Amino acid sequence: MIRIGLVGCGHIGTVHAVALQQLTDAGLVDARLTATFDDDPGRAAKVARHQGGEPYDTLGGLLDEVDAVWVCTWTAAHLAAVEAAADRGLPIFCEKPLAPDLDTATSVAAALERVPHQVGLVLRWAPVFRNLADAVASGEYGRVLAAVMRDDQYFPVQGLYGSTWRGDERLAGGGTVIEHSIHDVDVLRWTLGDPVEVSARTASRFGYPGIEDTAAATFAFADGSVAQLTSVWHQVLSRESSRRLEVFCEKALLWTDDDYLGPLHVETDDGERLIESEPPGWSSSFTLPAVYAKALAQYAEPSKAFLDSLSRVETRAGPQASAVGHPRAADALSAHRLVDLVYRSAADGGAPKSVR
Ligand SMILES: NC(=O)c1ccc[n+]([C@@H]2O[C@H](COP(=O)([O-])OP(=O)(O)OC[C@H]3O[C@@H](n4cnc5c(N)ncnc54)[C@H](O)[C@@H]3O)[C@@H](O)[C@H]2O)c1
């Protein structure tokens, strides 16, 4: 059995802990949450009490007693936890963004590459985006002409998130682009490939220096296609997190306004068809109301896949590390490079920046 240590027991750490608990209790993984650690000991104790495991006073104490680590601290603390776990050869699931800035993200990625790892760019596992990526890659609808992604949520220092660190540039690295839309940048480059040029405008309107709440970015591709990203943190507290993506191909418009199950709408000359998706069948064995089970499956599926792949490898580090986990540090680092260019362009009045 794989003993899992959770480092960072806040919002997403708790979501992962519940997902892991449900997977374990349903007999779906050969793993169990056995240890928790948080700078705030009360949080580590609370997760341990409700989702299982023993709370530890130190990171080192936890790392001594586990076989794999989930790093769910706020963004600026990922590097220290990832390096400490990688030094011990432990497999690591690391939340996104890797770090507040590109240089530090490069260091986090380098440490992750030394061990089996996976990054929490969870949209890679969303059936609606998998269907979209497959449809675009099939070539059935011709070349991509343009894509429009809109991502919005309420300014997340309140409500469900209630996290003061998201208003602190040193801890978060920025606002809506790095903290939320790094997911979107990842989906865009996964679906459309890497752009050759990035230009962007950002604004901070709510009094948090360095934390942009409004951003518009344009990604230009070598074949002449373009993608636009509008990313907003507003004060509409009833809108927790919402995404809409439209991809215009030569012979179809593909779009969705749900970032997990879709449906994906495909409109062609023949009319509109819907590609529907279901959560994994095994999530029906979760002991949660159906609406929560569905939401949790979004996080449980990538965790289960990572744990299943860990069960199959014999060594914890070394050459086999490169075969385990999806998406990987390299994917995240590529998204970080584009996010960095968004910020560089915005700081330069929207001037285009080349992707090297
Ligand atoms: N993939 C996703 O969908 C998703 C969703 C939400 C958050 N996230 C990411 O997860 C991370 C955490 O976000 P959150 O919403 O859970 O924040 P949070 O504030 O709710 O929790 C962060 C926790 O980290 C703890 N912490 C800080 N420094 C620490 C350290 N050095 N050692 C141990 N614990 C430490 C804090 O005490 C806090 O409990 C961020 O990087 C965020 O971007 C990802």
Side-chain angles (χ1 to χ4, degrees), residues 11-12 38 43 73 75 78 95-96 120 165-166 179 299:
H11 166 66
I12 203 68
D38 194 293
R43 290 188 169 195
T73 65
T75 304
H78 290 173
E95 264 305 347
K96 53 47 65 179
W165 66 268
R166 284 185 173 88
E179 168 51 22
Y299 293 93

Side-chain angles (χ1 to χ4, degrees), residues 6-16 37-41 43-44 59 71-78 80-81 93-99 119-123 153 156 160-166 171-172 178-180 182-183 243 298-299:
L6 176 67
V7 179
C9 304
H11 166 66
I12 203 68
T14 303
V15 170
H16 282 297
F37 171 67
D38 194 293
D39 261 2
D40 175 345
R43 290 188 169 195
L59 175 62
V71 174
C72 301
T73 65
W74 55 54
T75 304
H78 290 173
F93 181 104
C94 180
E95 264 305 347
K96 53 47 65 179
L98 297 182
V119 176
L121 287 167
V122 69
L123 297 190
Q153 70 173 167
L160 179 70
Y161 305 97
S163 53
T164 51
W165 66 268
R166 284 185 173 88
L171 300 179
I178 189 167
E179 168 51 22
H180 209 229
I182 195 164
H183 285 296
R243 291 188 171 91
Q298 205 171 347
Y299 293 93

Side-chain angles (χ1 to χ4, degrees), residues 74-77 99-101 155-157 163-176 178-179 207-212 233 343:
W74 55 54
T75 304
D101 60 77
F155 203 105
V157 296
S163 53
T164 51
W165 66 268
R166 284 185 173 88
D168 183 337
E169 187 184 9
R170 287 170 309 123
L171 300 179
T176 186
I178 189 167
E179 168 51 22
Y208 292 89
I211 305 293
E212 78 288 351
W233 278 352
Y343 287 133

